[in-house]
Amino acid sequence: MTLDKALPRDHAATVEFQGLRREFGSTVALDGLDLTVRPGELLALLGPSGCGKTTALRMLAGFEHPDSGEVLVDGEDVTRVPAHRRDAGMVFQSYSLFPHLSALDNVAFGLRMRKVRTAERRARAVELLDLVGLGDKTGRFPHQLSGGQQQRVALARALALRPRVLLLDEPLSALDAKVRLTLREEIRRLQQELGITTLFVTHDQEEALSMADRVAVMRAGRLEQCAAPAELYGRPATPFVAEFVGTMNRLPGRHTSGVVEVLGQRLPVDGDAPAAAEVDVLVRPEAVQVAADGEGDARVVATAFLGATVRLTVRLADGTEVRADLRAHEAAGLTAGAGVRVSLPQRPVLVAERTC
């Protein structure tokens, strides 16, 4: 089977959300969302529960309609187009397979509804099951398949109608960790090979960063930042993004005219700073520098072996605890109780309002 036969590459579409607003009673689910999904990219919508990411996905699918704003696919306004005419394939968190149908018949179901001839729909179903690694499971029923295999069937079914857009609504959350890791790699490989525009909703930052071309972080119905994973992690646009994506330390500092004093150092501020003088400095654990110092007033209170790195928890003289990720050989001898000196690289830092 060829990939072009399964799903032509010219199906890659541009998706645009323009000023989407949706209220459910007193709750604002989307508050003026503007976002573009580029042709052929996998864009992850990431955020805490209630941030509006699933509402946005459902609006693209046609299951929800905005109070205001538009949804465009290749420049065409589909805001009020019924779901069955959206030309979108969707994979849900629950597999939603028909228990009385075989894997092949589940994949072929949508084709049957569209009156595709029996021979053609069976051939396409076989091709797609082979594409997702289940060519030898065509006759199995859902109860005879593992959770990961059922989700592969659901993915093949979503692709059977050759949609312009693929929508994934937390499709891996019901699977165990090992299966999630394998399946997310397979989904990403398949998406790249097919070149299909994909919107992927998740609350799992590791999934988003490892799978997506770009990640859109949402909060309270608004877009906080949309960027490639490396930029999102390394240069977060807001304190919320900084703390939601990855692990972040908050260190007390004092801000004056674009410079912050922290750990006895003076560092430039990256971006905007709160008006207050007393601020928190946001620093990744891997950016924290720790050196042995028997006379230092900071102490290691815990260590955790993470493979290539060791995470130290260090208590400063004022009681603040700092997490630092060091390479294993750098952490040698830095056991609980050891005196240390903590510092930061001479580069701009992100600051936020003091939390306490």
Side-chain angles (χ1 to χ4, degrees), residues 101-310:
L101 297 181
S102 66
L104 186 145
D105 288 335
N106 263 286
V107 174
F109 182 81
L111 299 171
R112 190 176 77 183
M113 293 298 98
R114 293 196 178 183
K115 310 299 183 182
V116 175
R117 291 179 302 175
T118 300
E120 182 180 347
R121 69 173 182 255
R122 289 182 64 86
R124 196 184 304 177
V126 168
E127 290 169 355
L128 284 163
L129 285 170
D130 183 56
L131 187 65
V132 298
L134 294 177
D136 60 341
K137 303 291 192 300
T138 58
R140 298 284 181 88
F141 289 86
H143 73 275
Q144 297 173 313
L145 300 171
S146 68
Q149 290 171 336
Q150 290 182 51
Q151 198 61 294
R152 288 185 179 92
V153 174
L155 178 60
R157 182 178 61 186
L159 294 172
L161 297 176
R162 297 177 177 169
R164 286 189 293 170
V165 180
L166 178 63
L167 309 178
L168 306 175
D169 185 11
E170 303 208 41
L172 309 180
S173 60
L175 304 173
D176 63 51
K178 186 174 181 180
V179 175
R180 278 203 311 270
L181 178 60
T182 300
L183 197 52
R184 78 186 188 199
E185 292 173 350
E186 292 183 4
I187 289 174
R188 179 55 168 155
R189 172 191 59 80
L190 185 61
Q191 185 271 334
Q192 288 179 314
E193 290 178 351
L194 295 175
I196 186 172
T197 303
T198 302
L199 192 63
F200 177 59
V201 163
T202 181
H203 65 275
D204 188 318
Q205 58 178 276
E206 184 178 333
E207 281 183 3
L209 296 177
S210 65
M211 293 178 67
D213 294 298
R214 289 188 301 150
V215 179
V217 180
M218 296 184 62
R219 178 191 187 193
R222 292 178 174 268
L223 181 65
E224 289 275 318
Q225 184 177 4
C226 184
E231 180 181 351
L232 197 74
Y233 185 86
R235 291 191 59 82
T238 66
F240 175 80
V241 174
E243 295 193 278
F244 189 79
V245 178
T247 301
M248 188 66 74
N249 289 297
R250 275 184 174 257
L251 305 178
R254 185 171 183 81
H255 170 250
T256 307
S257 301
V259 175
V260 65
E261 295 182 21
V262 57
L263 297 178
Q265 301 173 249
R266 288 174 57 83
L267 301 174
V269 172
D270 186 2
D272 297 329
E278 302 297 325
V279 297
D280 282 343
V281 179
L282 306 181
V283 185
R284 299 283 185 200
E286 61 268 25
V288 178
Q289 301 169 335
V290 179
D293 185 349
E295 299 181 357
D297 55 6
R299 289 285 184 274
V300 176
V301 295
T303 64
F305 180 71
L306 303 178
T309 62
V310 174

Side-chain angles (χ1 to χ4, degrees), residues 49-107:
S49 297
C51 71
K53 57 187 185 295
T54 297
T55 300
L57 185 83
R58 289 175 61 82
M59 284 186 180
L60 179 53
F63 300 145
E64 294 282 352
H65 299 296
D67 298 320
S68 60
E70 297 177 333
V71 178
L72 306 179
V73 177
D74 283 339
E76 177 188 355
D77 185 354
V78 299
T79 310
R80 302 297 170 182
V81 174
H84 68 275
R85 294 177 52 201
R86 288 291 180 100
D87 201 8
M90 190 160 184
V91 180
F92 300 91
Q93 177 179 345
S94 58
Y95 313 128
S96 301
L97 300 180
F98 297 110
H100 62 289
L101 297 181
S102 66
L104 186 145
D105 288 335
N106 263 286
V107 174

